[in-house]
Amino acid sequence: MVQLTEKFLAAVAGWPVIFEARKIRAAGKVKAARYDPPLLKGAVRAGSRLYASGLRIASPQEVENICSCRISQAEGDGMICPHSVAVALEVIHGEPSPHPPARP
Ligand SMILES: [Zn+2]
């Protein structure tokens, strides 16, 4: 399986997309995220829509964007959209930690 890291995401999506994805995640728009290799799946809110986002990561060289957004649909497999990368970031940084933050 391919280990999800920001370096890997930057290689497949590019840093501008990572920065955009960080903003999406920081805004709390990632509603679900799960990595069941090779499938990364999640849900991302964008405006009034909720996109089913994710990636199919067959290998580091074979990454398919499975997001339901227009960027993904229009550009086909070549373009990884910020939604899917935001889901990946959520998996990377949102894993249960030994010390979960207290909920207000
Ligand atoms: Zn998308």
Side-chain angles (χ1 to χ4, degrees), residues 17-90:
V17 177
I18 305 274
F19 292 139
E20 193 62 34
R22 280 182 183 158
K23 276 191 264 175
I24 290 172
R25 185 169 173 262
K29 290 177 179 171
V30 180
K31 300 304 179 189
R34 186 189 167 89
Y35 186 36
D36 261 327
L39 270 185
L40 170 78
K41 276 183 162 178
V44 176
R45 181 160 289 287
S48 59
R49 310 190 59 173
L50 190 67
Y51 292 127
S53 309
L55 301 170
R56 202 176 68 81
I57 307 169
S59 77
Q61 290 79 32
E62 288 175 81
V63 182
E64 182 188 352
N65 190 5
I66 56 173
C67 186
S68 58
C69 78
R70 217 176 338 144
I71 303 171
S72 172
Q73 304 294 319
E75 304 290 339
D77 297 345
M79 173 90 186
I80 309 291
C81 68
H83 313 115
S84 296
V85 175
V87 169
L89 291 177
E90 183 71 19

Side-chain angles (χ1 to χ4, degrees), residues 4-6 9 22 25 86-97:
L4 282 180
T5 62
E6 288 202 5
L9 293 173
R22 280 182 183 158
R25 185 169 173 262
V87 169
L89 291 177
E90 183 71 19
V91 169
I92 293 170
H93 299 291
E95 290 282 289
S97 68

